[in-house]
Amino acid sequence: MFNFIDLNCPSCGASLQVNDNSQYFACEHCGNKFVLNSKASDLKPAERKKLNPQATYTRQLKQWVKVDAYEICLHEVRDLPRKNFRILAINVEYRNNGDGMLSCRIGQWNLFDQDGYTYQFEYLAEFFTGLPGSRLPGESVIGPEMRVRGWIVFKIPLTATVERLQFLVDLIHYKTVDFFFA
């Protein structure tokens, strides 16, 4: 028999009932899926009120997603074919609703294709021609109640089928959000 724990979705705030032995759950309201560090039954009452999943999986654009202390929104994705390659340009915004400083680095982003290849951000200035706004700075720091927005750009083969874009908080905590495109 299953026992359930009442939680709130870390993305949209909807009320959820999660199997207490599970580390995985999905929100029926926003469609996002989550992986916890431990079973739901092991969460302390304070952790249940303010969930901080190990991983968040989403297919939603224009939705704020919380990952650790970061809140991230993908506003737009543009696929720009060139003669021998494609450019995938993504307009991303960070916001800091916490109390501390956040380091926003383009190195936190990786693009994966369906064949398992990984692509990293490209700095080449000509990729930003025709994009409204500017590229995301290589690194910036934002304080409480601050935001930063810009484009991240990936150069990929014409034949690549993009699967997902991943944001990794850092190499110590391994908290991620994966935006699926396929």
Side-chain angles (χ1 to χ4, degrees), residues 12 28 31 36 52 57 62 65 72 78 88 99 103 118 130 140-141 149 156 159 161 165 167 180:
C12 71
E28 293 179 14
L36 300 173
N52 191 4
Y57 304 111
K62 299 182 181 183
V65 179
I72 298 169
R78 290 190 185 183
L88 194 69
D99 297 330
S103 175
T118 305
S140 60
V141 177
R149 182 175 175 175
I156 58 177
T159 57
T161 302
L165 176 69
F167 173 80
F180 282 84

Side-chain angles (χ1 to χ4, degrees), residues 36-56:
L36 300 173
N37 294 344
S38 60
K39 294 188 295 188
S41 60
D42 294 338
L43 294 172
K44 296 174 182 157
E47 293 173 316
R48 291 179 186 179
K49 290 182 179 181
K50 195 172 185 181
L51 285 178
N52 191 4
Q54 184 73 29
T56 300

Side-chain angles (χ1 to χ4, degrees), residues 44-77:
K44 296 174 182 157
E47 293 173 316
R48 291 179 186 179
K49 290 182 179 181
K50 195 172 185 181
L51 285 178
N52 191 4
Q54 184 73 29
T56 300
Y57 304 111
T58 185
R59 295 184 183 279
Q60 307 293 323
L61 292 179
K62 299 182 181 183
Q63 173 193 60
W64 286 99
V65 179
K66 185 166 178 39
V67 56
D68 207 32
Y70 294 84
E71 291 186 49
I72 298 169
C73 181
L74 299 187
H75 291 282
E76 181 180 1
V77 177

